[in-house]
Amino acid sequence: MAGPITIKPLTTIEELEQVQELERDVWQIDPVPVHQTLTAVKNGGLVLGAFDGDELVGFNYGFAGFQNGQVYLCSHMMGIAKAYRGRGIGELLKQKQKELAFKQGYSLIKWTYDPLESLNAYLNLSKLRGIGAEYIENCYGEMNDALNKGLPSDRFQVHWHITSEHVHSASSWIDQFPLQDNNVLVHYQLKSGQLPQLSDHISLEKITDMVINEEAGKLHERFSPQGYWLPIPDNFQTLKKQDHALALDWRLKTRKIITHMLALGYVAVRLLKTDQGVHYYLFVPQHRLAL
């Protein structure tokens, strides 16, 4: 059924019309107009396609961005045909995007993803070495597509510093950072023995005290000075289908904690997978990263 996957830029109207069909298939929504994607391609943007033979099975769409005097590539959409998910096509698209963006003169790529979608988190942070640098509450308002309907559309904004040592180093101290009780920000339990539920006892003051010594302005010696872990569900879509109220509870509690950690100068840099119903984000001080 599936052969070697090839990645190439898409520049013609016919190719971009194929992207529209894949958009409909992935999200069940009206696609981005071709006149928009074509204009983006002609003005610093990139649309990449992943092909199995002549069949388009994945795409990535990005356009030129500018903020606070800095030019970057805004990577807006990436979709993979259902039958081709789990084959690493998303990573292939992003690596080709990095290669071509560098050739066009970009050093930074930004995009958003749902912070509770662990597959996206693992790709964006652990594999690509982006950082979760900004949190946007209800970023796109009410969304009615198959993946987002029924919950606030909160998003992590990833900053991918494609020319940095952080991205290109084979390994670093954060790859060996241990998961221990004393560096987990908040704990969870299994609801009815199955679904993970975050603790109701979340104190931002306690988290601040855990991270920063207010009087001395230094990190507490009794805690690790390098990073902290935050659990998220291992499969948020399944959890949402089984218990919508619990999914909303995860959304609101993790929103509270993540925005607080970012305000303290921390960013998300990894997702650690476990077989316990949750995976873990690692937050470290941004100033310690070679960006």
Side-chain angles (χ1 to χ4, degrees):
M1 178 185 72
I5 301 299
T6 58
I7 311 293
K8 69 174 186 177
L10 307 181
T11 59
T12 70
I13 292 175
E14 292 74 20
E15 290 172 334
L16 296 174
E17 287 175 343
Q18 291 183 62
V19 171
Q20 287 188 308
E21 292 304 312
L22 189 52
E23 285 182 63
R24 293 188 183 98
D25 180 61
V26 171
W27 291 288
Q28 292 85 55
I29 59 172
D30 292 334
V32 178
V34 167
H35 67 76
Q36 171 63 43
T37 51
L38 185 63
T39 302
V41 167
K42 293 179 177 180
N43 292 275
L46 279 172
V47 180
L48 303 176
F51 288 86
D52 180 8
D54 294 329
E55 181 184 2
L56 181 71
V57 298
F59 79 95
N60 183 292
Y61 162 48
F63 50 84
F66 182 84
Q67 186 177 28
N68 299 326
Q70 184 176 36
V71 177
Y72 57 91
L73 181 66
C74 179
S75 184
H76 182 52
M77 299 179 76
M78 184 164 72
I80 310 296
K82 187 175 182 179
Y84 287 81
R85 293 170 194 168
R87 293 186 53 191
I89 294 175
E91 184 175 5
L92 290 175
L93 283 165
K94 295 300 292 185
Q95 294 294 357
K96 176 60 74 170
Q97 182 188 56
K98 179 177 71 171
E99 173 192 331
L100 296 180
F102 175 75
K103 289 180 179 179
Q104 289 184 216
Y106 293 107
S107 61
L108 176 65
I109 303 176
K110 296 184 182 182
W111 67 92
T112 62
Y113 76 95
D114 187 330
L116 293 177
E117 292 289 355
S118 62
L119 287 176
N120 292 345
Y122 188 74
L123 170 62
N124 295 335
L125 307 187
S126 295
K127 287 190 172 183
L128 300 178
R129 295 182 177 266
I131 63 173
E134 299 180 47
Y135 192 97
I136 308 170
E137 295 184 16
N138 204 24
C139 179
Y140 301 112
E142 182 69 21
M143 301 180 72
N144 293 313
D145 64 277
L147 295 178
N148 295 287
K149 186 176 182 179
L151 288 177
S153 58
D154 289 22
R155 293 293 184 267
F156 241 145
Q157 185 172 81
V158 177
H159 292 187
W160 198 19
H161 297 267
I162 61 174
T163 60
S164 69
E165 180 182 338
H166 174 73
V167 169
H168 290 279
S169 61
S171 64
S172 68
W173 60 272
I174 58 179
D175 296 304
Q176 287 80 42
F177 192 80
L179 173 64
Q180 300 171 337
D181 282 344
N182 69 344
N183 55 29
V184 174
L185 292 168
V186 62
H187 293 276
Y188 75 98
Q189 59 188 11
L190 294 180
K191 182 180 180 182
S192 303
Q194 292 184 346
L195 300 176
Q197 182 174 26
L198 209 55
S199 170
D200 288 328
H201 305 292
I202 297 175
S203 168
L204 297 184
E205 291 78 11
K206 182 178 179 181
I207 289 176
T208 300
D209 183 62
M210 190 174 173
V211 176
I212 296 177
N213 184 324
E214 294 287 354
E215 294 182 3
K218 297 180 180 179
L219 296 168
H220 276 306
E221 292 182 0
R222 67 178 182 276
F223 294 108
S224 166
Q226 297 179 331
Y228 298 90
W229 298 95
L230 175 67
I232 64 168
D234 61 0
N235 191 322
F236 188 58
Q237 290 298 322
T238 297
L239 183 146
K240 184 170 69 170
K241 291 177 182 177
Q242 295 182 14
D243 192 331
H244 186 274
L246 181 58
L248 180 60
D249 186 70
W250 273 100
R251 170 71 82 221
L252 298 180
K253 287 177 179 176
T254 54
R255 171 197 288 180
K256 179 180 179 181
I257 296 167
I258 293 172
T259 54
H260 189 66
M261 290 301 292
L262 297 182
L264 293 174
Y266 282 66
V267 291
V269 293
R270 290 288 184 275
L271 188 84
L272 175 68
K273 294 183 177 181
T274 79
D275 59 0
Q276 301 167 0
V278 298
H279 299 324
Y280 286 86
Y281 275 118
L282 175 62
F283 288 84
V284 305
Q286 183 169 353
H287 69 81
R288 295 203 63 201
L289 301 176
L291 301 176

